Amino acid sequence: MKTIEKNQNLYTKSVQQYVHQVFETVKKRNPNEDEFHQAVKEVFDSLVPVLEKNPQYINQSILERLVEPERIVSFRVPWVDDQGKVQVNRGFRVQYNSAIGPYKGGLRFHPSVNASIIKFLGFEQTFKNSLTGQPIGGGKGGADFDPKGKSDGEIMRFCQSFMSELSKYIGPDTDVPAGDIGVGSKEIGFMFGQYKKMRGGYEAGVLTGKGLGYGGSLTRKEATGYGTVYFVEEMLKDQGESFKGSTVVVSGSGNVSIYAMEKAAELGAKVVACSDSNGYIYDQNGINLETVKRIKEVEKQRISAYVSEHPDAIYTENCSGIWTVPCDIALPCATQNEINQISAQMLVSNGVKAVGEGANMPSTLDAVETFLENNVLFAPAKAANAGGVAVSALEMAQNSARLSWTFEEVDCKLQSIMKNIYQNSKQAAQEYGVPGNLVVGANIAGFVKVADAMIEQGVI
Ligand code: GLU
């Protein structure tokens, strides 16, 4: 018995060393890509117990293969602004992993976009998509274009130029982009139009998040935010708790944030704060969603405009200050690394009970550790925000069948997908000896399906 235990300890140590070694190579081969390193580190740390039980993943070099995207393209996006001046942006598409289906994942238009951001997002997307249980591989793309302050004409010309190049690499059975930060149904519309013109055929399933009149799915707009709340509600239910009667803080005021607020309020929570990249609003009476929707979706104003209509509300400059607002449940729905260790500590000191990540990788590694150490219920992004891409896959299914489902049908499927993701993540955490740790559980559950498919398909 003693010898077996000793051997097991030695083996654990050598697996840890192996994982460490692969990670060091990732850092060396991808210098200055901090976000990519961070995403890889989190997954690798979770996988040690799986690798111990399944040496085939080591023998088949699955980790080494997973940290290398299948393909990444970077391209020039020239366009003419309203002054007649030529502008040039850089476009990307990472076709990360196609083991379980065509590449699938959004496009992000934001000045911060670079190879590191796109690779971290593609890496995360691969496991997230696997968790949904649907046949979709991982991809991501975007450009360092800033849609803020651009006219509709400028946005259209940019989207057309971007798609002129991207269209060479995508297709309904190859790679299916969608939206992300800075890309909503307007941008998807312009890109779909250009793709259709270039192809000379109507391939509805090439993009998701389309307008409802030409192949879009009901509930897609709401799906990421609603899905995050469904996931967190499931996690709370397990502890005999719920959104009902709780105070909630939701960062951001984009698509994910707005519909997370809507669903949380529908389940009986009081949402008291939200933000944009300039600052945050606090409304003790509960945020008025109709005002936020009008300000952000119709008028395209900054969130500070809210306080002129709601005199009890307070606007504060500096968006990270939102984490000083006391709450029971925090839903970071803005962007990567928006909660650092200091903000996490602040949330814990103020008594936060649960955190649900609606954005991609919104918590730094030490922030996640702080939540877990302090027994905060923690719903990691890959699992909690998978509802958006899950409904995208349902949009693809409707496009293939040439029909459209009702809002209730899609919403019902979304709820059951989120419940399944929760159960599978919880079960994997239990099976591998870290009950309740959904970070590890989600990473493992997402990984195993992709890794097994890769092995079955040979070294390609
Ligand atoms: N950008 C979203 C995500 O991070 C959705 C992607 C999609 O619908 O393909 O999952």
Side-chain angles (χ1 to χ4, degrees):
M1 184 63 195
K2 270 248 151 69
T3 331
I4 294 172
E5 244 170 49
K6 202 170 147 205
N7 285 344
Q8 184 60 39
N9 284 343
L10 277 176
Y11 188 56
T12 301
K13 212 159 171 211
S14 72
V15 169
Q16 269 165 353
Q17 268 163 6
Y18 158 73
V19 169
H20 178 75
Q21 232 166 44
V22 182
F23 181 61
E24 286 304 309
T25 315
V26 171
K27 286 203 285 188
K28 217 179 285 163
R29 297 184 77 189
N30 303 273
N32 307 317
E33 295 188 354
D34 293 348
E35 295 84 2
F36 182 56
H37 302 165
Q38 179 184 341
V40 170
K41 173 131 185 56
E42 189 209 273
V43 170
F44 273 20
D45 286 349
S46 299
L47 294 181
V48 172
V50 187
L51 301 174
E52 278 166 4
K53 278 200 193 166
N54 301 278
Q56 74 274 20
Y57 298 141
I58 300 178
N59 299 337
Q60 296 277 340
S61 297
I62 293 297
L63 297 194
E64 291 88 336
R65 286 200 256 166
L66 270 174
V67 293
E68 203 58 39
E70 288 177 18
R71 181 177 302 107
I72 178 161
V73 287
S74 158
F75 50 92
R76 180 172 67 200
V77 189
W79 55 283
V80 180
D81 70 16
D82 287 347
Q83 282 69 49
K85 194 172 175 312
V86 176
Q87 302 283 348
V88 180
N89 285 99
R90 185 173 290 172
F92 294 95
R93 185 71 183 168
V94 57
Q95 299 187 325
Y96 207 101
N97 191 294
S98 62
I100 62 170
Y103 309 109
K104 179 84 198 85
L107 299 170
R108 177 178 291 193
F109 292 168
H110 191 270
S112 65
V113 164
N114 58 32
S116 173
I117 299 274
I118 294 301
K119 278 163 70 182
F120 113 67
L121 288 165
F123 182 79
E124 294 270 299
Q125 197 84 43
T126 300
F127 304 106
K128 181 199 309 196
N129 292 4
S130 160
L131 277 172
T132 66
Q134 292 156 304
I136 40 178
K140 203 86 191 189
D144 59 356
F145 171 77
D146 189 358
K148 240 186 251 152
K150 302 286 191 299
S151 69
D152 279 357
E154 290 176 322
I155 291 178
M156 182 181 75
R157 291 192 292 279
F158 175 81
C159 287
Q160 289 175 339
S161 177
F162 182 86
M163 185 50 88
S164 297
E165 183 62 25
L166 186 69
S167 63
K168 298 171 189 165
Y169 311 102
I170 62 174
D173 295 313
T174 330
D175 183 355
V176 182
D180 195 82
I181 294 172
V183 179
S185 62
K186 179 164 73 184
E187 291 76 14
I188 292 291
F190 291 147
M191 288 191 272
F192 185 75
Q194 182 72 0
Y195 179 87
K196 181 163 61 73
K197 182 171 177 170
M198 298 190 69
R199 273 289 190 279
Y202 205 101
E203 298 176 8
V206 69
L207 293 173
T208 60
K210 297 181 293 294
L212 296 176
Y214 63 95
S217 173
L218 286 160
T219 328
R220 175 62 191 89
K221 187 170 69 166
E222 296 83 357
T224 314
Y226 278 18
T228 302
V229 172
Y230 291 147
F231 187 95
V232 173
E233 181 74 346
E234 226 25 53
M235 178 175 77
L236 291 167
K237 214 166 75 186
D238 245 357
Q239 310 295 319
E241 313 233 13
S242 113
F243 268 94
K244 202 173 165 67
S246 64
T247 300
V248 178
V249 165
V250 184
S251 63
S253 46
N255 189 52
V256 182
S257 171
I258 287 175
Y259 293 98
M261 292 196 269
E262 183 168 279
K263 187 50 77 178
E266 222 177 278
L267 294 182
K270 185 174 173 186
V271 183
V272 294
C274 71
S275 59
D276 64 16
S277 56
N278 291 37
Y280 70 96
I281 52 165
Y282 171 75
D283 190 338
Q284 58 180 12
N285 304 321
I287 300 277
N288 182 312
L289 263 184
E290 289 320 304
T291 309
V292 174
K293 277 188 192 174
R294 179 170 37 78
I295 288 175
K296 300 305 288 190
E297 291 182 337
V298 184
E299 296 164 2
K300 311 266 179 217
Q301 289 193 72
R302 306 307 293 169
I303 199 70
S304 55
Y306 182 92
V307 292
S308 58
E309 295 177 47
H310 299 275
D312 281 350
I314 302 165
Y315 173 73
T316 312
E317 289 279 339
N318 174 21
C319 54
S320 66
I322 195 171
W323 307 120
T324 62
V325 176
C327 61
D328 303 308
I329 301 165
L331 304 177
C333 294
T335 193
Q336 68 271 355
N337 292 331
E338 56 171 309
I339 301 186
N340 61 15
Q341 195 177 20
I342 298 167
S343 300
Q345 202 59 61
M346 182 63 83
L347 282 162
V348 169
S349 308
N350 285 332
V352 74
K353 279 190 290 211
V355 174
E357 297 189 316
N360 287 313
M361 205 169 78
S363 313
T364 60
L365 290 171
D366 45 16
V368 176
E369 226 164 86
T370 302
F371 292 134
L372 295 178
E373 276 168 8
N374 288 280
N375 298 318
V376 174
L377 299 174
F378 184 76
K382 272 183 213 85
N385 78 22
V389 76
V391 172
S392 274
L394 298 178
E395 183 173 330
M396 290 162 72
Q398 292 169 81
N399 293 153
S400 296
R402 299 186 191 278
L403 48 77
S404 25
W405 298 327
T406 64
F407 188 94
E408 288 69 29
E409 266 177 291
V410 182
D411 190 32
C412 185
K413 288 184 204 299
L414 170 64
Q415 286 183 48
S416 87
I417 289 169
M418 297 316 293
K419 280 185 190 171
N420 279 337
I421 298 175
Y422 175 70
Q423 288 305 333
N424 291 341
S425 304
K426 180 181 152 184
Q427 208 177 317
Q430 220 143 20
E431 190 182 329
Y432 286 96
V434 279
N437 186 330
L438 296 173
V439 176
V440 171
N443 285 336
I444 292 176
F447 167 83
V448 167
K449 199 173 151 201
V450 174
D452 289 346
M454 286 170 76
I455 292 177
E456 282 174 37
Q457 291 170 24
V459 179
I460 46 146

